[in-house]
Amino acid sequence: RRGPGRKRKRRGPRMSIIRELSAAAITDAVERLCIEANTQLPADVKAALDKAEAAEPWPLAKETLGLLQKNLCTAKEKDLPICQDTGMACVFVELGHDVHIDGDLTTAVNEGVRRGYEKAYLRKSITADPLQRVNTGDNTPAFLTVHLVPGDGCQITVAPKGFGSENMSRLTMLKPADGVQGVKDFVLDTVKQAGANPCPPIVLGIGIGGSFDHCAALAKQALLRPLDVPNPDPYYAALEKELLNAINATGFGPQGFGGATTCLGVAIEQKPTHVACLPVAVNISCHVTRRASCTL
């Protein structure tokens, strides 16, 4: 039996079921997720903050973490944004091979961002041109990444990205001979250069491998992984833990006031690369690392 919105479509000698998905449903979902992501901190990030506050030994750092928590509670009670920079709308779509969208995906996503930012009175921060600096007035265009996956599902994630932290991000093309120590040195140097600018405690997304452009995309993608989920490869999971400990040992602390909590989590995503290079990207996020997802 075929459910609603599904029809058979011939693909060569075999039959497959193609699911029809309306652009309007995508717009509605993106609108809702823009508001949710900007007003509700993900449970894993909140849990990391709770754990950090409980374990923080420095009095000023502990007090600062408490103030950050108070801000989150106030935002929740009053249904307000958890940060004044409601960010660039980074939208990730995992689209099943067997889904046909009845309409234009990019248009549908942009309309959802437009509605969400207007409805919730979220700050509009996007300029139509990087040099002429004219605000678009509705936080569009969204910055859309689409991955094709098996099946007939459509998962949408909205991850608003503030630029106090984004501006501190870096990418380098290391030599293969630099090895893992070169990666560690670059990550630590990036954190030290950033200092208090990205509103620590921070979250790091790290991309290793690929090409110049793919490496940066890996780092951004790494920020979508929950903080309590390590890299599935034990080698990289151990590297994540080592880097987290090293970053917290810098002593920058919450908001740069000193303390043992500079970073809440490190996530590494890796992929194959050319024999002659070792690309590394560090995408820094702040203590309000925001994301909200749904499946249509």
Side-chain angles (χ1 to χ4, degrees):
R1 295 182 62 187
R2 298 192 300 274
R6 289 172 169 80
K7 62 182 181 181
R8 291 194 180 278
K9 184 175 181 179
R10 182 172 293 279
R11 288 184 177 175
R14 301 181 65 182
M15 300 288 286
S16 63
I17 297 177
I18 298 300
R19 178 188 174 207
E20 294 284 350
L21 179 61
S22 73
I26 293 173
T27 293
D28 290 344
V30 171
E31 175 186 342
R32 183 175 68 255
L33 292 173
C34 282
I35 298 171
E36 178 183 335
N38 272 297
T39 58
Q40 301 176 36
L41 195 65
D44 61 288
V45 182
K46 180 63 167 64
L49 276 171
D50 291 342
K51 183 179 179 181
E53 184 182 7
E56 178 58 61
W58 293 31
L60 179 56
K62 196 177 191 74
E63 180 183 356
T64 302
L65 288 169
L67 290 172
L68 297 180
Q69 297 274 37
K70 183 178 179 181
N71 177 70
L72 293 172
C73 292
T74 301
K76 184 176 181 179
E77 290 170 3
K78 297 182 179 297
D79 198 26
L80 293 171
I82 54 181
C83 178
Q84 53 83 22
D85 184 353
T86 52
M88 170 187 283
C90 299
V91 181
F92 299 83
V93 176
E94 291 191 358
L95 186 65
H97 296 155
D98 297 324
V99 177
H100 173 259
I101 298 173
D102 182 17
D104 182 74
L105 175 60
T106 301
T107 300
V109 168
N110 281 329
E111 181 61 22
V113 170
R114 182 178 296 110
R115 292 182 190 177
Y117 275 72
E118 288 288 347
K119 183 176 180 179
Y121 300 100
L122 304 176
R123 196 182 86 183
K124 290 85 173 176
S125 303
I126 302 304
T127 60
D129 182 273
L131 294 180
Q132 298 177 77
R133 315 303 289 182
V134 178
N135 199 297
T136 62
D138 57 11
N139 221 57
T140 66
F143 291 77
L144 176 62
T145 301
V146 180
H147 292 118
L148 296 178
V149 297
D152 65 354
C154 177
Q155 179 172 293
I156 302 173
T157 299
V158 174
K161 190 65 168 65
F163 268 65
S165 58
E166 187 81 353
N167 284 339
M168 298 295 103
S169 303
R170 297 169 71 208
L171 183 147
T172 188
M173 305 298 285
L174 296 177
K175 300 183 293 294
D178 293 324
V180 67
Q181 189 59 50
V183 173
K184 295 176 188 177
D185 291 344
F186 177 70
V187 172
L188 267 293
D189 184 62
T190 298
V191 171
K192 291 174 182 177
Q193 285 194 32
N197 291 316
C199 292
I202 57 176
V203 174
L204 290 193
I206 300 173
I208 304 176
S211 57
F212 180 88
D213 53 330
H214 280 214
C215 189
L218 278 177
K220 180 76 73 182
Q221 179 183 329
L223 292 175
L224 302 183
R225 194 197 322 150
L227 301 187
D228 53 359
V229 178
N231 190 296
D233 185 324
Y235 176 86
Y236 286 98
L239 183 57
E240 289 173 346
K241 186 174 182 179
E242 181 181 350
L243 286 170
L244 177 61
N245 291 336
I247 293 166
N248 283 327
T250 62
F252 281 115
Q255 302 298 295
F257 295 150
T261 311
T262 299
C263 186
L264 296 174
V266 174
I268 298 173
E269 293 293 328
Q270 73 281 356
K271 71 183 331 182
T273 191
H274 191 279
V275 67
C277 73
L278 177 56
V280 183
V282 179
N283 195 195
I284 300 182
S285 188
C286 64
H287 66 280
V288 285
T289 295
R290 295 160 290 181
R291 44 183 146 72
S293 302
C294 74
T295 301
L296 301 179

